[in-house]
């Protein structure tokens, strides 16, 4: 069977933008948008975001879900084909590449754009997932959600002790009446400079040696049940929001041994400002290769770049080259 020209794996802003560009360039893209699981549904992390207010072009904001459905509609309008399955295995040892899906399909592809994103690491405690999905004041991205009216002048909790937690806490001081930084140890993992900035803020209070055991609240978060990791004592605090900043996990398991990955699991990008991976003909876009910016708009930008890179690659190398 004739190989696909471009297979795009993923369904967030990077994947759909790549599809729109590839489709409009007559590359007839095939998107594997993912089968969905408890923690990831087609559409990616934006499906867990209530309002997106920082994506240009939406002066009144837009729900993350509506935005992803519209991205997809725009790709489909230009005849992008979509399969609601995961790619579970790849063989990038020669072109055309071989991909196997969760539905046992085998697909060959001249080029592949990997845009499988990353999942926020969650605490996994009662109340957390329910209130994150319902927009009830639990989030894994302060930059995405922190400026929402519901969080203004509230006591907000940030969980974590790394750079992300410091950054989120500092960002939230612009809106919150107080930021409680909850860390499971008495020492931060964050870089010295970020620690100093956080310590210098009179709006950030540190709750050391503390873990969150439960997120309280029915429709919206009202508080947290904490456990002191040293004394073992339980306590409850009132908060108007919780931001979990304990790291991300890139969705790259299926690429192991096929594409160079960084130590933290993200796709290694050998050339700055290009979307090529170490495998000619395989490109990466969005959060799967970006452990730094992680924004919808930057993901969409790299999706565009990946489609253009794939198009140029095909122009230079042809099919099966
Ligand atoms: P990270 O450095 O891995 O830190 C994760 C933090 O979450 C750690 O403090 C860890 O605690 C805590 N944690 C992990 N699992 C937990 C759990 N189940 N319950 C409670 N706490 C938990 O992750 P990150 O902060 O997202 O940073 C990732 C990378 O991006 C780092 O290399 C960082 O330097 C970089 N980054 C840089 C900047 C910047 O420079 N502006 C901003 C953001 C991120 P322990 O310390 O006890 O392990």
């Amino acid at each position: 069977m004739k190989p696909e020209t471009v297979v795009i794996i993923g369904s967030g802003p990077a994947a759909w933008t790549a599809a729109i560009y590839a489709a409009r360039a007559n590359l007839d893209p095939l998107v594997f948008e993912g089968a969905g699981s408890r923690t990831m549904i087609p559409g990616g992390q934006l499906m867990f975001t209530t309002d997106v207010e920082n994506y240009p072009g939406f002066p009144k904001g837009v729900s993350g879900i509506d935005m992803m459905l519209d991205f997809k509609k725009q790709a489909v309008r230009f005849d992008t084909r979509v399969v609601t399955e995961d790619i579970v295995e790849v063989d990038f040892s020669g072109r055309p590449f071989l991909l196997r899906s969760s539905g046992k399909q085998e697909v060959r592809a001249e080029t592949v754009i990997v845009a499988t994103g990353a999942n926020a690491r969650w605490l996994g405690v009662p109340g957390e997932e329910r209130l994150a999905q319902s927009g009830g004041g639990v989030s894994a991205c302060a930059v995405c959600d922190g400026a929402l009216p519901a969080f203004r002048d509230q006591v907000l909790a940030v969980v974590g002790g790394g750079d992300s937690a410091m950054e989120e806490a500092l960002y939230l001081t612009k809106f919150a009446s107080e930021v409680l930084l909850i860390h499971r140890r008495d020492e931060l993992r964050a870089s010295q400079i970020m620690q100093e900035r956080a310590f210098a803020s009179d709006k950030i209070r540190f709750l050391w040696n503390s873990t969150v055991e439960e997120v309280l609240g029915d429709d919206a978060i009202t508080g947290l049940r904490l456990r002191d990791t040293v004394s073992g004592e339980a306590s409850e605090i009132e908060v108007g929001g919780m931001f979990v900043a304990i790291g991300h996990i890139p969705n790259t398991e299926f690429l192991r041994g096929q594409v160079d990955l960084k130590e933290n699991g993200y796709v290694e990008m050998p050339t700055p400002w290009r979307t090529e991976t170490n495998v000619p003909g395989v490109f990466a876009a969005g959060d799967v290769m970006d452990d730094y910016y992680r924004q919808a708009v930057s993901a969409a930008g790299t999706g565009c770049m990946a489609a253009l890179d794939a198009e140029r690659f095909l122009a230079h190398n042809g099919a099966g080259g």
Side-chain angles (χ1 to χ4, degrees):
M1 215 166 65
K2 196 170 158 288
E4 298 288 339
T5 312
V6 185
V7 168
I8 298 165
I9 316 172
S11 52
W16 294 127
T17 305
I20 292 164
Y21 271 78
R24 294 189 75 254
N26 288 332
L27 297 179
D28 191 22
L30 177 66
V31 173
F32 279 84
E33 67 169 351
S37 66
R38 196 183 66 83
T39 54
M40 193 39 90
I41 43 183
Q45 290 191 81
L46 280 176
M47 302 301 273
F48 295 92
T49 303
T50 41
D51 289 314
V52 182
E53 292 187 326
N54 54 8
Y55 201 99
F58 297 92
K60 293 183 181 144
V62 57
S63 94
I65 294 175
D66 288 348
M67 187 185 199
M68 281 306 94
L69 293 177
D70 278 348
F71 267 50
K72 178 176 175 178
K73 255 189 232 160
Q74 194 170 343
V76 170
R77 180 180 149 212
F78 297 109
D79 298 329
T80 296
R81 292 160 300 139
V82 182
V83 181
T84 308
E85 290 177 17
D86 293 322
I87 292 296
V88 291
E89 200 184 333
V90 294
D91 181 350
F92 290 162
S93 56
R95 282 181 68 222
F97 307 118
L98 178 64
L99 301 97
R100 284 199 187 87
S101 77
S102 49
K104 310 257 181 292
Q105 290 196 54
E106 283 202 351
V107 177
R108 293 206 168 261
E110 296 297 352
T111 60
V112 174
I113 296 174
V114 179
T116 42
N119 287 1
R121 209 187 282 276
W122 293 95
L123 296 166
V125 297
E128 177 188 52
E129 188 186 351
R130 179 173 51 80
L131 290 167
Q133 283 186 4
S134 67
V138 173
S139 164
C141 179
V143 180
C144 318
D145 299 330
L148 295 174
F151 295 121
R152 300 263 160 157
D153 301 318
Q154 300 277 343
V155 177
L156 301 178
V158 172
V159 185
D163 280 334
S164 294
M166 301 309 112
E167 200 167 62
E168 304 241 315
L170 285 161
Y171 181 78
L172 290 171
T173 58
K174 291 191 234 175
F175 317 106
S177 57
E178 186 181 29
V179 177
L180 302 177
L181 202 135
I182 302 170
H183 185 38
R184 62 185 177 184
R185 295 186 292 138
D186 62 358
E187 204 183 326
L188 296 173
R189 178 178 296 280
S191 57
Q192 199 59 35
I193 184 161
M194 294 300 283
Q195 294 197 22
E196 280 166 16
R197 281 186 199 156
F199 289 141
S201 168
D202 53 13
K203 269 201 178 176
I204 301 177
R205 185 153 60 94
F206 287 80
L207 302 185
W208 300 107
N209 297 317
S210 301
T211 53
V212 175
E213 290 213 320
E214 187 178 351
V215 183
L216 308 170
D218 296 329
D219 298 331
I221 185 172
T222 55
L224 300 173
R225 195 156 55 77
L226 303 181
R227 175 85 53 191
D228 187 306
T229 56
V230 179
S231 69
E233 265 173 45
S235 62
E236 281 187 16
I237 56 168
E238 285 181 20
V239 297
M242 176 176 83
F243 292 83
V244 180
I246 60 171
H248 285 77
I249 308 165
N251 296 313
T252 51
E253 256 326 295
F254 70 104
L255 297 173
R256 269 190 200 282
Q258 299 292 326
V259 170
D260 283 353
L261 304 178
K262 297 203 287 191
E263 215 171 277
N264 62 7
Y266 287 77
V267 176
E268 176 91 58
M269 306 305 284
T271 317
W273 285 99
R274 294 285 182 274
T275 63
E276 288 121 3
T277 67
N278 69 305
V279 182
V282 177
F283 305 87
D287 282 11
V288 77
M289 50 72 104
D290 173 15
D291 56 8
Y292 192 78
Y293 296 106
R294 303 185 188 126
Q295 300 301 300
V297 69
S298 50
T302 55
C304 155
M305 290 157 64
L308 295 177
D309 286 342
E311 189 184 356
R312 281 172 200 161
F313 175 87
L314 288 161
H316 284 110
N317 298 279

